[in-house]
Amino acid sequence: MSIQQNLSEIKSSLPENVTLVAVSKTKPISDLMEAYNAGQLIFGENKIQEMTEKWESMPKDIQWHMIGHVQSNKVKYMAEYVSLIHGVDSFKLLEEINKQAKKNQRVINCLLQIYIAEEESKFGLDESELNQILTSEEFKQLKNINIVGLMGIATFTDNQTQIKMEFQNLKLIFDKFTVHNSQFTILSMGMSSDYKLAMECGSTMVRIGSSIFGERNLKI
Ligand SMILES: *Cc1c(COP(=O)(O)O)cnc(C)c1O
């Protein structure tokens, strides 16, 4: 099936309150343009340099989401244009994003990444670290960032019960914190293999790559 067909099939399965991020990492601009021409305006990338190259040469009404792990020293390259940073997992990184946003006279929207998987390799905060950040005085001083919700990545497994438990756990944390943080509106969870389950568990933003663009080739 074509990119356009994949997109329209996925979109028709999403309820109105769920936003689709088309994950285009490693894919050529021609593929992204096919999705753009079919009406897709939100793209997710996991490497700042690759995202910046695509931003430079593509239409300016596209919203670029950084979905990968972010190194502090690279924030400056995307601060001018990035629309949402999904994987914020430390206060230090928030400070850097705030600093670079200020330089660009912007407020940058961020999601805090919560660690929900069983894998050691995944990044993210636990609930008490999240609480610590949100209630600290230093955090309140950061005027150029806006925390709009949470993001999580489930364990890479075929065990649906486990994935479901991890999503439910994240949703619980999300609900607890929405009470005190009314600007928390986005719960980013779900990828090609598990987005339907994620939506059942309350996801409001799904990050889908291979089901739209096909399997990724290894980057040379
Ligand atoms: C690559 C990636 C996705 C998309 O994965 P697919 O399985 O291709 O849909 C979603 N979220 C993150 C954080 C990713 O790195």
Side-chain angles (χ1 to χ4, degrees):
M1 285 217 298
S2 71
I3 289 170
Q4 190 182 342
Q5 284 170 323
N6 291 338
L7 252 181
S8 76
E9 192 157 298
I10 290 167
K11 275 188 184 165
S12 68
S13 75
L14 301 186
E16 246 175 52
N17 66 324
V18 177
T19 303
L20 171 64
V21 178
V23 176
S24 49
K25 61 194 187 197
T26 79
K27 295 295 175 182
I29 286 175
S30 55
D31 283 7
L32 279 72
M33 279 310 295
E34 197 175 328
Y36 175 81
N37 289 329
Q40 181 63 28
L41 293 179
I42 303 177
F43 291 88
E45 293 280 335
N46 70 342
K47 299 236 159 47
I48 295 177
Q49 188 182 340
E50 182 179 344
M51 181 168 79
T52 302
E53 283 166 14
K54 288 172 173 171
W55 165 68
E56 281 168 348
S57 51
M58 290 185 67
K60 290 297 171 283
D61 58 344
I62 291 174
Q63 296 169 36
W64 294 97
H65 287 199
M66 172 43 59
I67 62 167
H69 188 247
V70 177
Q71 286 171 288
S72 289
N73 60 350
K74 297 203 173 139
V75 172
K76 55 179 177 282
Y77 300 115
M78 64 176 169
E80 181 186 344
Y81 69 90
V82 69
S83 135
L84 180 64
I85 303 176
H86 287 236
V88 180
D89 63 351
S90 72
F91 183 72
K92 185 175 152 278
L93 180 57
L94 268 182
E95 277 185 305
E96 177 63 17
I97 296 168
N98 185 71
K99 181 176 149 195
Q100 297 301 332
K102 198 169 177 182
K103 274 192 190 164
N104 287 278
Q105 296 171 301
R106 299 184 63 209
V107 174
I108 295 182
N109 289 330
C110 299
L111 303 176
L112 291 171
Q113 182 170 355
I114 305 299
Y115 179 85
I116 54 170
E118 272 189 349
E119 289 149 58
E120 291 287 334
S121 59
K122 299 261 160 78
F123 296 97
L125 305 160
D126 64 28
E127 195 178 334
S128 73
E129 290 167 327
L130 171 66
N131 201 26
Q132 221 167 33
I133 289 179
L134 293 177
T135 54
S136 75
E137 276 310 312
E138 295 96 318
F139 171 71
K140 289 173 191 138
Q141 304 306 315
L142 306 181
K143 304 293 183 206
N144 293 76
I145 49 129
N146 191 20
I147 307 290
V148 291
L150 303 179
M151 177 266 209
I153 306 173
T155 303
F156 185 69
T157 172
D158 287 332
N159 184 340
Q160 298 295 303
T161 316
Q162 183 180 347
I163 297 174
K164 190 169 181 178
M165 264 171 43
E166 293 174 357
F167 284 152
Q168 284 172 333
N169 180 27
L170 180 54
K171 168 70 167 150
L172 265 177
I173 298 173
F174 180 74
D175 285 344
K176 237 190 260 182
F177 283 85
T178 357
V179 178
H180 305 290
N181 302 273
S182 55
Q183 82 282 15
F184 265 44
T185 53
I186 299 176
L187 180 54
S188 166
M189 60 182 195
M191 339 208 305
S192 290
S193 57
D194 57 21
Y195 75 95
K196 289 187 177 148
L197 193 53
M199 292 191 306
E200 282 173 31
C201 297
S203 169
T204 68
M205 186 171 272
V206 290
R207 310 175 306 266
I208 301 181
S210 43
S211 292
I212 298 173
F213 297 105
E215 293 300 321
R216 282 177 292 277
N217 304 318
L218 285 177
K219 240 193 156 179
I220 313 143

